[in-house]
Amino acid sequence: MDERNPPAGSDRGWADHRHRDVSGGWLRPTVFGAVDGLVTNASLIAGVGGVGVSAHTIVLTGLAGLVAGAFSMGTGEYISVTNQNELVQAEVAVEKRMHEQFPDAERAELAERFESYGADRQTAQRMSEAVSSDADKALQFHAREELGVDPDDLPSPLLAGSASLVAFSLGAVLPLLPYLLGVAWLWLAMLIAGVALLVGGMVVGRLTGRSLLRAGVRQLLLGALAVVVTFGVGQLIGISVA
């Protein structure tokens, strides 16, 4: 029998299935970085471009926003993941000391956990003894159950920071493209940003299994709100300065 195509009504289920990446190691900083870069620079360009400044000023503003934002996002993500990992490691160290000092209590706690999953008392105790016989596996199991993480599979701070920096840069350069190519049309920059937001939202919807159109339109509307508000602020400041 082909396990990839089980017969109808079979309770074996799909034997060879895959899950989406939910660890957040690279997906979260990449998505947030790209969207942040796109919305940030589109808003900056709308704010200064709507006042009627020169194309040179818009390019300088956009490039400054790109560089500053990319490094801010990259270092922020790196520090955030590093701190999170250090906190997890500290808690795992506490759990390790508890295993060394109170092994019986930890085994009893593990047995109670198995009972809460539906195992009878004797089965739960045997399972607890089996897991506890290997100190490393017992520690890993307790960390997963009590902390919700795998201490051997923590996200990489360097990967998260790099993904955020690169994604922000790519997102931020899109609304700046017309000006970099010598086409100083604000509406074209906003059109590119709008299309990118819509497509980006649909990609996220594809990754998360949500409605593509709903995810794309939601991201487009939120980005448009930021652009409109920044454009309005630019208009108010420009009028008051004039």
Side-chain angles (χ1 to χ4, degrees):
M1 182 180 67
D2 187 354
E3 290 187 350
R4 293 174 298 176
N5 296 283
S10 171
D11 58 2
R12 286 191 63 182
W14 189 266
D16 183 20
H17 68 283
R18 295 183 179 181
H19 292 287
R20 301 179 181 90
D21 177 17
V22 296
S23 65
W26 64 270
L27 180 59
R28 182 180 62 84
T30 299
V31 172
F32 286 160
V35 172
D36 199 4
L38 182 59
V39 174
T40 297
N41 246 18
S43 300
L44 281 174
I45 292 171
V48 298
V51 182
V53 299
S54 66
H56 179 69
T57 300
I58 293 177
V59 170
L60 286 178
T61 301
L63 289 178
L66 186 156
V67 174
F71 278 94
S72 176
M73 287 287 293
T75 55
E77 191 67 33
Y78 178 86
I79 293 172
S80 174
V81 175
T82 298
N83 290 341
Q84 177 184 346
N85 288 353
E86 290 174 347
L87 176 61
V88 170
Q89 291 164 359
E91 291 301 312
V92 170
V94 172
E95 189 68 29
K96 184 177 182 179
R97 288 197 300 271
M98 294 295 293
H99 276 261
E100 294 171 348
Q101 296 175 8
F102 309 103
D104 293 339
E106 291 297 320
R107 281 195 295 270
E109 179 183 343
L110 193 57
E112 291 178 0
R113 180 80 63 173
F114 287 131
E115 284 189 68
S116 69
Y117 292 156
D120 59 71
R121 181 174 295 276
Q122 291 183 347
T123 301
Q125 289 177 347
R126 288 197 300 269
M127 293 170 67
S128 177
E129 291 292 339
V131 172
S132 300
S133 63
D134 187 322
D136 292 335
K137 289 184 179 179
L139 180 61
Q140 186 180 55
F141 188 90
H142 276 270
R144 287 176 177 175
E145 291 296 312
E146 298 179 21
L147 303 177
V149 297
D150 184 347
D152 295 329
D153 189 28
L154 297 177
S156 166
L158 183 60
L159 175 61
S162 300
S164 184
L165 185 149
V166 172
F168 185 99
S169 301
L170 293 176
V173 79
L174 290 178
L176 197 57
L177 280 177
Y179 294 91
L180 293 175
L181 297 176
V183 184
W185 295 345
L186 181 61
W187 67 267
L188 181 57
M190 295 301 101
L191 177 62
I192 293 174
V195 172
L197 283 170
L198 181 63
V199 172
M202 294 175 71
V203 170
V204 173
R206 173 68 176 176
L207 291 173
T208 59
R210 295 182 178 272
S211 166
L212 302 187
L213 182 59
R214 181 178 179 181
V217 171
R218 179 180 61 182
Q219 190 155 294
L220 174 61
L221 292 177
L222 292 174
L225 176 62
V227 169
V228 169
V229 171
T230 310
F231 180 83
V233 172
Q235 291 291 306
L236 292 175
I237 294 177
I239 293 174
S240 64
V241 172

